[in-house]
Amino acid sequence: MALLTISSAYTPPLPSHALASQLTSPMPPVLSLHRRIVSLAVAAASASVRQDSSTWTPAPLSLVRAASSDSSLFHISVDVSDYPDLVSAHTKAGQYLQLRLPSAAHAKPTFLAIASPPSLAAARGEFEFLVKRVEGSTADLLCCLKSGDVVEMSGVMGQGFEIDRISSTEDAQTIIIFATGSGISPIRSLIESGLSANERPDVRLYYGARNLQRMAYQDRFKNWESSGVKIVPVLSRPDDSWKGERGYVQAVFSRAKQILDASSTAAVLCGHKAMTEELTSVLMANGVPHDKILKNF
């Protein structure tokens, strides 16, 4: 695609003395601009090619399994044991990467939070993900693969949760965690990375889903609770047999609150924007310091 149109009409050749004068004179502004644009476009294209060829790492899947009874969520594990640089780059809960299929490299890559704690990659050379199926997307194609199939990953991205801000058991005696849908993925990594929950009086997880059929990690709840995290499942569309909390996590929390000392309370939010914004307002209105409210999108 042409960036600028420059006339190509024929002009007679200049005398040699005039040509020499023109060669030493400043370049016409339009021609100069054209060359600069072309040069920048070529440089950008070259950089894009270099980045594309150097940042995508092929790796085999080690697990593909439904994570919910309605198969709307899938457990996906990728074997990264041959890539120590990738393993060492995963240092905090909340980090993520892009993933694509070699057979569909033209399709838009999917962004996935790493669900497993960094210690799992260090010990077993695996990254685990919780993938939400979206029809026609790379995530949907990914859920149709099987163990041994090869995918391509970008490098590990993001700084993760700034957990250092709430690591003190004195300054953050209460930690309230909120997650909805597949947003539980980085929260799993956070809980299993170690929150010193047993050393704090109150650590709660409000976990929202449409129904139990769409709630992942139910098999991990017992272990999470034994580590000191109280699980509060919240269903927005439960069946008649459900006896627990109904509605949305922000509404359930607003009714309960139970903040004994706001100055020593911290929160971690992971879910859709409306939920995180509403909860941030509620928490701050109740005195929770803004710098103790951690978010991950």
Side-chain angles (χ1 to χ4, degrees), residues 28-206:
V30 173
L31 184 57
S32 176
L33 176 61
H34 176 263
R35 290 184 176 178
R36 287 172 58 196
I37 291 174
V38 170
S39 176
L40 289 171
V42 170
S46 299
S48 175
V49 170
R50 287 196 304 270
Q51 182 183 38
D52 187 68
S53 63
S54 64
T55 60
W56 292 101
T57 301
L61 298 176
S62 54
L63 175 71
V64 181
R65 177 170 56 84
S68 58
S69 59
D70 68 350
S71 297
S72 61
L73 298 169
F74 268 71
H75 294 302
I76 302 290
S77 297
V78 183
D79 182 351
V80 293
S81 57
D82 288 337
Y83 303 103
D85 288 347
L86 269 177
V87 172
S88 63
H90 183 210
T91 58
K92 284 186 178 181
Q95 290 181 298
Y96 58 94
L97 51 72
Q98 293 184 83
L99 191 149
R100 69 181 186 182
L101 278 61
S103 59
H106 61 283
K108 186 177 181 180
T110 184
F111 282 87
L112 296 174
I114 303 174
S116 48
S119 58
L120 183 76
R124 292 191 353 213
E126 283 188 339
F127 285 162
E128 295 182 351
F129 304 94
L130 181 67
V131 181
K132 179 181 179 180
R133 296 193 76 160
V134 178
E135 187 176 356
S137 69
T138 296
D140 189 27
L141 296 174
L142 178 62
C143 295
C144 296
L145 299 180
K146 60 184 184 299
S147 180
D149 288 341
V150 174
V151 297
E152 293 180 334
M153 295 182 298
S154 71
V156 176
M157 302 177 182
Q159 299 301 311
F161 291 112
E162 296 180 76
I163 196 66
D164 292 345
R165 285 159 44 186
I166 63 171
S167 59
S168 169
T169 56
E170 292 297 323
D171 295 338
Q173 295 182 28
T174 295
I175 298 180
I176 309 172
I177 307 168
F178 302 89
T180 56
S182 58
I184 192 65
S185 181
I187 297 302
R188 174 203 154 187
S189 181
L190 178 69
I191 292 173
E192 295 181 7
S193 293
L195 275 176
S196 302
N198 279 325
E199 299 175 22
R200 305 175 197 265
D202 182 12
V203 177
R204 279 172 272 159
L205 166 62
Y206 291 87

Side-chain angles (χ1 to χ4, degrees), residues 197-225:
N198 279 325
E199 299 175 22
R200 305 175 197 265
D202 182 12
V203 177
R204 279 172 272 159
L205 166 62
Y206 291 87
Y207 177 15
R210 178 177 295 185
N211 50 48
L212 283 177
Q213 290 70 40
R214 293 197 174 190
M215 180 167 278
Y217 297 139
Q218 294 180 53
D219 57 334
R220 293 181 175 271
F221 286 0
K222 185 176 180 180
N223 287 338
W224 292 356
E225 292 201 314

